[in-house]
Amino acid sequence: MSLDAKIPEGPLKDKWTNHKNHINVVNPANKRHIDIIVVGTGLAGGAAAASLAEMGYNVKAFCYQDSPRRAHSIAAQGGINAAKNYQNDGDSTYRLFYDTVKGGDYRSREANVYRLAEVSANIIDQCVAQGVPFARDYGGLLDNRSFGGVLVSRTFYAKGQTGQQLLLGAYSAMNRQIAQGKIAMYNRHEMLDVVLVGGKARGIIARDLVTGEIERHSAHAVIVATGGYGNVFFLSTNAMGSNVTASWKIHKKGAYFANPCYTQIHPTCIPRSGDHQSKLTLMSESLRNDGRIWVPKKLEDVKAIREGKLKPKELKEEDRDYYLERRYPAFGNLVPRDVASRAAKERCDAGFGVNATGEAVYLDFASAIMRYGTTEAHIQGLHNPTQDQIRELGEKAVENKYGNLFQMYEKIVDQNPYKTPMMIYPAVHYTMGGIWVDYNLMTTIPGCYAAGEANFSDHGANRLGASALMQGLADGYFVLPYTVGDYLANDIRTGKIPTNSPEFDAAEKEVKDRLERFINIKGTKSVDHFHKELGKVMWDNVGMARNAEGLKEAMAKIKQIREEFWKDVRVPGGLNEMNPELEKAGRVADFLELGELFAKDALDRNESCGGHFREESVEIGGEQEGEAKRDDANFAFVSAWEWTGNPSEAKLHKENLVFHDIELKQRSYK
């Protein structure tokens, strides 16, 4: 039997409106007697906390960072999608919906994605009203650029720091409520368990990361908005503190974990420089608007470049392979991320990688610089400008659009990307899988919600660029404020939830026992040692390409690493103090369980779709030769895993995906 997603009846375009018209609401006087916990203060959590407090609820917000401003949402660079059709290029709510479902390789829930597209335009208005400094065109109107997987320009942006600017908008909305006493803000606190009373989420156990004190916090509902689990790979573009702990704790208390194997490998990251690295750096996908991706056509040129005998800009046009433009003429460099990443891997695996490790391709701005320079010369009335003048004008135009990204690249790589092509390679970036939620964003635990990247709901098997910010803010500003009220309408007479109940006692004891166990193992190896070992297995066996043999091997190896971790990890320091190694130990212990479930899910899904590429499931012959091959007859469902005490024995529940408004067909970007 398929999981019930509680999708409203009626035509797709009316579902959300009709649903809002018929759900329960809480009157303003009663909201004052209801408490809500929001864990995580990125775009989804920050927007939810600010909105719910503005509506009158008492909100407790938690983040493990020094300030909500430090949430990983600030790392989003290139933009946020919205179907406003400002460019008059044929965009619409339906087109954004269609692109998102197709981009996710037809593995997302139609109703949720349509709602996302529908509320997207409101997000821009909300953020402009908050003062977010979106880029504007010459006439003062909001500007747009294109992103992968679409043929229109619908991405609103603030240079290459869109996530940071949007987060500051949500943060200022939160601050207003903190000042009014409607949000109690708990910085440097980590949620270590959820507390269920009568089967409902009624609070959390948190650790004060400065003092080490374990605290009990109660509420009538709990919202988890703690981001994704990409750091299960150790090396990723995620902030180093990003983790799965909050999601994993609610999973172990009854929230199903959906599609863990759907992970996005982002095509435009700075290649790794060696084993010493602890994280990777993303270069925004917006660069693919103007940058052209290529490798040399001849292996002897690759060898000469690697040996430093040939500079990339010395290579003639006819000796370059613009492989995305060659393979996907309709979309070119703007194919979706999963397609671009696999294509880069294929070229590098074939020996065409251009750096010392053989894991890099070029992202070249030379032609964009000359194109912009020529236009600028016309605007300035320069007749017969020199090539140097054109280049100088073009560099200024590119700097206006992408300046901070170029600056960041030069700082890390010590090469000037205006003068020589950037080098890029795919890296783990975003997780489309996450906690299973219904249409109201409620998990399988009553009263427990998941928002933003922490849930699975909108992106299917691959997220289109600039859709993460859109989903986080949609969930926080425009979905949860309605759906949480529907649930809380039954709690207006409940009164404050006491924290001295047996359920809180048991949850706190469980947390304390686990922390003491970490300290008392007194092994010989650091937490990072085990995290790196896990990451290597994940990247080698569960990375960009997966096969049955490798996935079985991964499950066995991860189990082995986990057993060794619990026998031989060394956590220095004490319990009742600031102890970053103890924090990391808890997070890595959770990754070591998630990693096994991740591989199990990838093994169970014997098809290729989006970011999940099974080597056994590839198109052979015809126009789609070598592309991912979906199996709609057997796998058009969401995999929702129930915890049974061991990741390898998780129980599978399926939510069958039904498509009424979009025809299921093989994806083509050619």
Side-chain angles (χ1 to χ4, degrees):
M1 198 175 113
S2 183
L3 268 171
D4 181 12
K6 299 188 173 63
I7 297 166
E9 296 297 320
L12 194 62
K13 65 182 179 57
D14 299 328
K15 283 185 193 293
W16 180 231
T17 304
N18 288 343
H19 187 58
K20 285 190 295 183
N21 287 343
H22 293 99
I23 56 179
N24 294 312
V25 292
V26 181
N27 98 38
N30 287 330
K31 285 176 184 153
R32 293 195 288 271
H33 306 300
I34 290 180
D35 303 322
I36 301 173
I37 283 173
V38 181
V39 187
T41 56
L43 286 185
S51 301
L52 291 163
E54 184 86 46
M55 293 166 76
Y57 296 106
N58 304 310
V59 176
K60 286 183 174 183
F62 294 81
C63 72
Y64 65 75
Q65 297 93 341
D66 296 326
S67 157
R69 282 179 302 129
R70 300 296 299 274
H72 184 58
S73 299
I74 66 161
Q77 296 167 341
I80 175 169
N81 290 329
K84 276 189 169 289
N85 194 30
Y86 279 0
Q87 305 300 312
N88 200 25
D89 54 2
D91 201 10
S92 64
T93 298
Y94 182 85
R95 192 178 289 277
L96 173 52
F97 156 66
Y98 173 80
D99 287 342
T100 306
V101 173
K102 178 187 174 186
D105 217 352
Y106 303 92
R107 289 292 175 262
S108 47
R109 189 191 288 154
E110 265 193 349
N112 283 62
V113 179
Y114 193 87
R115 174 175 66 189
L116 177 67
E118 196 181 340
V119 305
S120 66
N122 299 345
I123 297 170
I124 304 303
D125 297 341
Q126 166 106 357
C127 295
V128 169
Q130 286 174 337
V132 172
F134 286 121
R136 293 179 181 266
D137 64 18
Y138 181 74
L141 299 174
L142 294 180
D143 201 8
N144 292 116
R145 54 188 176 203
S146 293
F147 259 63
V150 301
L151 293 171
V152 297
S153 294
R154 64 161 69 101
T155 304
F156 294 78
Y157 64 98
K159 271 201 171 175
Q161 44 182 265
T162 317
Q164 182 174 5
Q165 298 302 333
L166 290 168
L167 187 66
L168 289 172
Y171 175 62
S172 42
M174 277 183 78
N175 266 348
R176 186 174 121 80
Q177 298 306 318
I178 292 168
Q180 292 183 6
K182 293 304 291 179
I183 294 180
M185 187 65 230
Y186 294 87
N187 299 341
R188 304 292 283 126
H189 278 67
E190 183 165 32
M191 169 185 160
L192 293 180
D193 212 348
V194 65
V195 182
L196 307 188
V197 180
K200 295 178 178 180
R202 291 301 199 192
I204 65 168
I205 305 295
R207 180 170 183 267
D208 181 327
L209 298 179
V210 178
T211 66
E213 192 181 341
I214 304 300
E215 300 174 2
R216 306 176 181 197
H217 296 275
S218 69
H220 298 89
V222 175
I223 296 168
V224 171
T226 49
Y229 48 88
N231 279 348
V232 69
F233 286 86
F234 184 69
L235 279 182
S236 83
T237 67
N238 289 189
M240 287 176 65
S242 296
N243 63 81
V244 76
T245 291
S247 294
W248 199 247
K249 297 309 184 196
I250 65 172
H251 171 54
K252 290 174 89 165
K253 284 288 175 76
Y256 295 173
F257 209 104
N259 302 332
C261 78
Y262 288 168
T263 308
Q264 180 161 85
I265 314 283
H266 197 294
T268 54
C269 299
I270 296 178
R272 68 185 181 90
S273 54
D275 294 336
H276 61 281
Q277 259 178 289
S278 51
K279 84 175 292 296
L280 297 168
T281 305
L282 172 72
M283 297 312 301
S284 168
E285 184 187 315
S286 61
L287 297 172
R288 291 201 276 147
N289 266 291
D290 288 312
R292 297 177 72 196
I293 294 171
W294 63 275
V295 291
K297 279 184 182 171
K298 300 174 193 157
L299 284 169
E300 58 262 37
D301 288 337
V302 174
K303 188 168 182 259
I305 284 171
R306 283 191 198 170
E307 290 171 356
K309 294 173 184 168
L310 181 68
K311 288 191 166 67
K313 59 186 183 184
E314 294 169 351
L315 214 60
K316 294 191 188 98
E317 275 296 299
E318 59 266 30
D319 293 329
R320 302 177 180 198
D321 177 14
Y322 295 96
Y323 58 88
L324 290 178
E325 296 171 32
R326 168 170 58 84
R327 288 188 199 173
Y328 308 100
F331 283 74
N333 294 297
L334 285 173
V335 290
R337 292 174 174 180
D338 59 319
V339 177
S341 292
R342 274 198 300 277
K345 181 180 189 292
E346 184 276 325
R347 288 290 77 198
C348 291
D349 288 352
F352 292 90
V354 293
N355 68 349
T357 63
E359 293 183 342
V361 300
Y362 287 126
L363 178 62
D364 195 340
F365 279 81
S367 58
I369 285 169
M370 298 310 282
R371 188 177 73 246
Y372 282 125
T374 304
T375 304
E376 198 56 40
H378 279 294
I379 291 168
Q380 294 188 14
L382 293 175
H383 301 295
N384 301 320
T386 65
Q387 290 293 295
D388 286 344
Q389 280 178 305
I390 289 173
R391 192 172 289 110
E392 191 181 334
L393 290 168
E395 284 181 6
K396 275 183 186 156
V398 167
E399 187 181 356
N400 285 337
K401 280 188 124 173
Y402 310 110
N404 61 311
L405 298 170
F406 277 54
Q407 195 180 9
M408 188 166 75
Y409 181 87
E410 187 167 2
K411 214 167 187 178
I412 292 169
V413 182
D414 197 23
Q415 286 180 2
N416 181 344
Y418 295 102
K419 307 297 182 194
T420 186
M422 284 185 183
M423 285 187 289
I424 55 165
Y425 192 70
V428 172
H429 178 56
Y430 186 92
T431 51
M432 287 75 64
I435 296 297
W436 184 89
V437 290
D438 63 18
Y439 187 73
N440 294 318
L441 306 187
M442 198 191 290
T443 69
T444 40
I445 300 172
C448 183
Y449 294 79
E453 193 179 354
N455 74 32
F456 88 101
S457 70
D458 293 352
H459 307 295
N462 173 59
R463 177 177 68 77
L464 291 183
S467 286
L469 303 183
M470 175 174 65
Q471 187 217 340
L473 291 178
D475 287 358
Y477 283 139
F478 297 109
V479 179
L480 284 172
Y482 293 100
T483 59
V484 172
D486 183 37
Y487 170 78
L488 292 174
N490 295 321
D491 268 320
I492 58 174
R493 293 180 189 83
T494 304
K496 208 142 188 75
I497 308 288
T499 56
N500 58 357
S501 62
E503 292 87 350
F504 273 91
D505 292 345
E508 185 180 315
K509 184 180 185 310
E510 205 179 311
V511 166
K512 282 182 169 172
D513 289 350
R514 182 178 163 93
L515 292 172
E516 279 170 16
R517 191 176 165 197
F518 286 133
I519 296 284
N520 292 330
I521 293 170
K522 297 193 185 335
T524 62
K525 296 189 178 85
S526 70
V527 175
D528 277 349
H529 166 84
F530 292 102
H531 198 175
K532 282 178 184 173
E533 281 204 334
L534 169 65
K536 182 164 173 36
V537 173
M538 292 298 294
W539 183 251
D540 291 347
N541 296 43
V542 204
M544 271 197 273
R546 302 154 182 185
N547 58 56
E549 191 185 331
L551 292 167
K552 285 173 187 164
E553 186 186 309
M555 287 179 72
K557 277 185 176 173
I558 293 166
K559 189 177 181 188
Q560 196 181 327
I561 296 167
R562 192 169 67 244
E563 285 168 1
E564 195 190 337
F565 171 89
W566 283 106
K567 284 184 196 144
D568 200 25
V569 72
R570 177 167 181 78
V571 180
L575 278 175
N576 305 313
E577 62 186 26
M578 191 174 185
N579 190 342
E581 285 299 306
L582 181 58
E583 294 167 37
K584 279 200 292 190
R587 294 166 191 170
V588 172
D590 294 330
F591 279 139
L592 283 164
E593 290 178 345
L594 164 72
E596 193 175 344
L597 180 65
F598 191 130
K600 180 183 173 74
D601 185 45
L603 181 63
D604 183 77
R605 188 167 286 277
N606 193 15
E607 66 161 352
S608 288
C609 58
H612 169 61
F613 189 74
R614 283 289 294 268
E615 290 169 358
E616 303 92 334
S617 192
V618 180
E619 292 286 351
I620 296 165
E623 197 192 323
Q624 299 296 317
E625 172 84 44
E627 300 292 332
K629 186 181 179 184
R630 275 198 339 267
D631 178 357
D632 294 329
N634 296 303
F635 290 98
F637 61 78
V638 175
S639 299
W641 297 93
E642 179 185 359
W643 177 259
T644 60
N646 198 315
S648 61
E649 289 154 22
K651 183 180 174 187
L652 177 63
H653 298 265
K654 297 178 182 178
E655 179 199 334
N656 294 322
L657 293 168
V658 183
F659 294 89
H660 296 293
D661 288 70
I662 285 183
E663 180 195 350
L664 270 176
K665 58 185 181 187
Q666 205 61 29
R667 259 196 328 171
S668 173
Y669 290 95
K670 296 188 174 184

